[in-house]
Amino acid sequence: MELQLALDLVDIPEGIKLVKEVESFIDVVEIGTPVVINEGLRAVKEMKEAFPDLKVLADLKIMDAAGYEVMKASEAGADIVTILGAAEDMSIKGAVEEAKKQGKKILVDMIAVKDIAARAKELDEFGVDYICVHTGYDLQAVGQNSFEDLKAIKSVVKNAKTAVAGGIKLETLPEVIKAQPDLVIVGGGITGQADIKAAASQMQKLIKQG
């Protein structure tokens, strides 16, 4: 089980400063969609240059022109690129094909997918690397979480790894670990804490025990 730190509301220097504090406790650093929108793929490039030993995920949430966008993210140094599960099959296949060519990985974000299990089965057959259940920011506000969806995905996939994201905090982490995802994605549960180093350290400890 790996820990991914999601950076959403920072600029590049802030992001690098944050990661410096927690780099020994995380496996993947995510350049979140808001950062990509504000800073462009330069954010991915600078993060990878600053932390060559960490995996960098570019949260592009691709919906179209997938092969091209995966290629561009790969050139910037991304190890993992995200595409939406709601995208066309051709887009997802194009993303997988380009990622394989570049030696990178594809994570499919299941945000807004209605039939989680059926789509996960298809995605697994397309050869994606990760399938991520994601309680979006707007749904977290009304108290939803993803554990049932994660179980549904785990029951149908044969090859893809599973990931879980959305509002995970230290107190909800044991429940997440019980569901045994391969990748746990945390944003504010680390970056919003008074002592981010302690938060990341405690989370990593729980994850490695799990």
Side-chain angles (χ1 to χ4, degrees), residues 1 12 14 26-27 42-44 55 60 76 82 90-91 97 102 127 133 144 148 152 162 175 179 184 196 199-200:
M1 212 179 298
I12 297 169
E14 268 180 285
I26 63 172
D27 304 287
R42 195 166 56 91
V44 173
K55 285 182 264 193
L60 301 191
T82 69
M90 282 308 295
S91 298
E97 193 183 327
Q102 302 280 353
V133 290
Q144 292 202 16
E148 289 311 309
T162 55
E175 198 183 346
V184 178
I196 67 166

Side-chain angles (χ1 to χ4, degrees), residues 27-129:
D27 304 287
V28 186
V29 57
E30 170 188 331
I31 306 300
T33 318
V35 180
V36 176
I37 286 168
N38 290 329
E39 305 272 3
L41 285 171
R42 195 166 56 91
V44 173
K45 189 172 186 294
E46 293 191 22
M47 191 62 73
K48 190 65 185 177
E49 283 167 359
F51 304 100
D53 295 335
L54 283 179
K55 285 182 264 193
V56 176
L57 176 141
D59 190 18
L60 301 191
K61 293 192 175 78
I62 295 169
M63 196 67 184
D64 190 21
Y68 176 78
E69 293 189 7
V70 169
M71 178 180 73
K72 286 291 160 197
S74 302
E75 284 171 3
D79 300 286
I80 307 168
V81 185
T82 69
I83 187 166
L84 293 177
E88 300 286 358
D89 291 359
M90 282 308 295
S91 298
I92 291 168
K93 288 175 182 172
V96 168
E97 193 183 327
E98 186 60 36
K100 285 199 178 4
K101 209 186 288 178
Q102 302 280 353
K104 309 296 185 180
K105 303 237 183 304
I106 292 293
L107 180 144
V108 178
D109 186 331
M110 299 294 269
I111 199 165
V113 170
K114 295 293 177 251
D115 188 339
I116 293 269
R119 190 59 171 152
K121 195 168 185 299
E122 292 170 345
L123 294 166
D124 195 36
E125 284 161 11
F126 297 160
V128 307
D129 301 285

